[in-house]
Amino acid sequence: MTDAANPMPEGPADLIETEYEIGQDNIQTRIGPFGVDIHNPVFMVSGLTIIAFVVFTLALQSEAEAIFGWLRPAITSTFDWFFLGAANLFVLLCLVLIVTPLGSVRLGGRDATPDYSYSGWFAMLFAAGMGIGLMFFGVSEPISHYSSSVAEGAGSPDSWAPLAGAPGDPAEARRLGMAATIFHWGLHPWAIYAVVALALALFSYNKGLPLSFRSIFYPVFGERVWGWTGHVIDVLAVFATLFGLATSLGFGAEQANAGLNHLFGLPVTDASKVLLITGITAIALISVVAGLDAGVKRLSEINMILAALLLLFIVAVGPTVAILTGFVNNLIAYAEYLPALSNPFGRDDANFSQGWTSFYWAWWISWSPFVGMFIARVSRGRTVREFMICVLLIPSIVSVFWMTAFGGTAISQIVNDGYQAVVDASLELKLFVMLEALPLAAITSFIGITLVIVFFVTSSDSGSLVIDTITAGGKVDAPVPQRVFWAVFEGLVAIALLLGGGLGALQAAAVSTGLPFTIVLLLGCYALIKGLRAEPR
């Protein structure tokens, strides 16, 4: 049941006895000079479907745009209660695992030791989990929530303000805007990632099953997970990963293009975005060939250094006291508004709960196979409690501080300095317009663009690694050309979605794959608890 990257548990363990061997259904052959080791039919079904999607979207762009324009609001308005309720359950499960005896289970067996240091582990967690998103929404989302909350029409059916806003009250609108932002980037998304990652790690490192999404559901379906039941689960995981990742890559391309236009006058056109995605995907291919340690790990650590420098610069030259005090005040506001923001029923702020929160939860869920498997790959040797605290709480706190520094600085520019340019700028340009009002704007903006690009590369590299593992039947050492194939198609899907409807199409893709996968994850929670209860502690 094991290969070089799926070692047997160290110490007492509750191994699942099965006759299935990793890769037993794989097709191993050569195409020219390249070796192929793919799981049939998962690779063929998912690969051919993605190729057909790219061809359709590029060939019939106007028809695709109409479909995507209808799809996202249709799903979020109908299933908003389902997304919000499911995300709440994921948070509760994570908190329970921290405080109960199940938290003492060690991933990889009782005697396992961590494969990575804390610094390297945190860098990869953060870069894979939210890199591009924090760059894109770090300024734009707090500004959006603040502006809609303080507006005179806040609370009306047409308003986008969270919880009816705070019209005419800038101080409370600021608290509410930051609380709503933290709500979208705090405990809930990281709980989704943590549940998926923990389940994958447990059933691979402790139960001896392949590092594949279907393995999580062995306690539910038994040996059927190696047949079509498992094939469907893995294909859904591939679709969710690819479209969730393409959404983030599309956001990154939009922001990088806007930043390059702001600094160097590069035109903001579809052609320039396509060239940008193509160029960055080519860089990602180099990282793919280099491998996990030489590629993703080094790029993640570079990104952490650049992100930390940019964050410290904002704190130093921005409203320093307001940022530091705002961090505590924003956490208090988050705790105060959390019950109302997470309420799935009887909401009067439909635009916010459906247009913002439902989209986010579907996006995080569609990202969860990618981020979850990547986190599982680098988390062997951690206890469940250590894993949950580090994956759930520490990134959430860092996200809060990031949003406080970037979003809080932008709001201070509006309230204290009357700087309206950051309000009027498009979403993808708000970061650079905020930096424009601070010293060394050209340098910091260039660092911001570099961060977006490197986050783009690490996401593409990590995503192709995860999809390749799924489509190789759980093998983590499949031939490199297969990862190259998926990295190329991640870029092609992002290009197709941008040309076939822009940001709306990107959001529609994430939401449509997130919906069925939410059902899969809820079933996975039951399997996770059942698996943990059988482990020696």
Side-chain angles (χ1 to χ4, degrees):
M1 278 303 305
T2 61
D3 63 10
N6 289 80
M8 291 292 290
E10 299 176 26
D14 179 53
L15 286 171
I16 291 178
E17 296 297 331
T18 177
E19 296 181 358
Y20 183 84
E21 295 291 336
I22 293 176
Q24 72 175 35
D25 299 324
N26 283 20
I27 297 174
Q28 297 180 331
T29 185
R30 298 193 68 83
I31 299 177
F34 304 115
V36 173
D37 190 352
I38 58 176
H39 186 276
N40 191 42
V42 174
F43 184 94
M44 299 304 295
V45 171
S46 54
L48 291 175
T49 303
I50 294 300
I51 292 172
F53 171 84
V54 170
V55 171
F56 164 76
T57 306
L58 292 178
L60 301 171
Q61 292 181 22
S62 58
E63 290 82 355
E65 185 173 1
I67 293 172
F68 294 137
W70 164 83
L71 188 60
R72 190 192 72 83
I75 293 177
T76 55
S77 62
T78 304
F79 296 98
D80 56 332
W81 61 272
F82 181 61
F83 286 126
L84 268 69
N88 291 341
L89 288 175
F90 298 140
V91 173
L92 291 175
L93 175 59
C94 291
L95 296 177
V96 166
L97 292 179
I98 290 175
V99 300
T100 62
L102 295 177
S104 61
V105 172
R106 186 173 295 277
L107 300 175
R110 197 168 64 188
D111 301 327
T113 56
D115 294 329
Y116 296 96
S117 66
Y118 273 115
S119 60
W121 189 40
F122 289 153
M124 287 188 281
L125 290 180
F126 203 73
M130 290 190 174
I132 291 176
L134 287 179
M135 295 300 297
F136 190 94
F137 290 102
V139 173
S140 62
E141 186 172 351
I143 290 294
S144 298
H145 295 330
Y146 168 78
S147 299
S148 61
S149 295
V150 79
E152 187 175 331
S156 67
D158 296 330
S159 172
W160 285 78
L163 304 177
D169 187 348
E172 192 58 30
R174 183 173 190 160
R175 293 183 73 247
L176 178 57
M178 292 304 304
T181 301
I182 293 167
F183 173 58
H184 290 150
W185 295 87
L187 294 177
H188 283 76
W190 285 101
I192 294 168
Y193 296 159
V195 167
V196 175
L198 179 61
L200 285 166
L202 177 74
F203 285 96
S204 177
Y205 300 142
N206 294 62
K207 307 297 186 182
L209 299 181
L211 186 62
S212 187
F213 215 85
R214 68 177 70 199
S215 298
I216 297 173
F217 301 90
Y218 192 94
V220 180
F221 299 113
E223 291 292 316
R224 283 177 294 171
V225 298
W226 313 127
W228 271 103
T229 301
H231 299 339
V232 171
I233 291 171
D234 277 354
V235 168
L236 283 175
V238 171
F239 290 159
T241 302
L242 197 68
F243 286 109
L245 185 59
T247 301
S248 297
L249 300 185
F251 280 131
E254 290 271 359
Q255 188 173 34
N257 194 184
L260 290 170
N261 171 264
H262 186 69
L263 276 184
F264 306 115
L266 182 74
V268 180
T269 62
D270 287 342
S272 61
K273 293 170 189 174
V274 169
L275 287 174
L276 194 59
I277 293 176
T278 303
I280 298 174
T281 300
I283 299 172
L285 293 178
I286 298 173
S287 180
V288 164
V289 173
L292 181 64
D293 290 333
V296 178
K297 183 172 180 288
R298 289 179 183 175
L299 286 173
S300 297
E301 290 173 343
I302 291 170
N303 250 18
M304 284 294 290
I305 294 171
L306 288 176
L309 289 174
L310 185 59
L311 178 62
L312 291 173
F313 175 82
I314 297 295
V315 173
V317 305
T320 306
V321 175
I323 291 173
L324 297 178
T325 56
F327 174 69
V328 177
N329 293 334
N330 291 340
L331 283 174
I332 295 172
Y334 170 52
E336 177 186 330
Y337 283 111
L338 181 60
L341 289 168
S342 58
N343 173 33
F345 304 108
R347 297 289 290 267
D348 295 324
D349 53 351
N351 281 341
F352 173 80
S353 61
Q354 296 171 10
W356 280 97
T357 305
S358 293
F359 160 67
Y360 267 131
W361 287 181
W363 188 18
W364 301 143
I365 289 168
S366 68
W367 256 60
S368 63
F370 152 51
V371 180
M373 186 172 287
F374 186 75
I375 292 175
R377 284 284 307 273
V378 299
S379 298
R380 188 176 179 275
R382 309 290 178 181
T383 66
V384 170
R385 184 172 294 110
E386 179 187 16
F387 177 92
M388 281 298 174
I389 290 174
C390 292
V391 175
L392 182 66
L393 298 182
I394 292 178
S396 295
I397 291 173
V398 174
S399 297
V400 172
F401 192 69
W402 183 281
M403 291 296 184
T404 298
F406 283 75
T409 298
I411 294 175
S412 294
Q413 290 174 344
I414 299 168
V415 175
N416 300 330
D417 305 329
Y419 185 56
Q420 285 298 309
V422 71
V423 178
D424 299 333
S426 59
L427 287 178
E428 61 270 17
L429 198 57
K430 287 186 185 294
L431 169 65
F432 305 108
V433 174
M434 183 273 286
L435 293 173
E436 191 71 30
L438 300 176
L440 306 176
I443 296 175
T444 54
S445 293
F446 184 76
I447 292 175
I449 295 170
T450 303
L451 277 168
V452 171
I453 291 174
V454 181
F455 275 132
F456 193 141
V457 172
T458 53
S459 296
S460 178
D461 189 346
S462 307
S464 61
L465 178 69
V466 167
I467 295 174
D468 185 43
T469 300
I470 298 172
T471 56
K475 286 190 174 183
V476 296
D477 56 353
V480 172
Q482 294 173 205
R483 292 207 299 274
V484 171
F485 170 84
W486 289 114
V488 169
F489 268 88
E490 286 159 16
L492 287 176
V493 170
I495 290 171
L497 289 170
L498 278 175
L499 296 180
L503 293 181
L506 295 168
Q507 294 173 345
V511 168
S512 60
T513 53
L515 177 61
F517 217 73
T518 305
I519 301 171
V520 173
L521 292 192
L522 289 172
L523 188 61
C525 290
Y526 165 77
L528 172 61
I529 294 172
K530 193 170 182 179
L532 284 171
R533 291 184 64 184
E535 279 295 301
R537 298 189 288 277

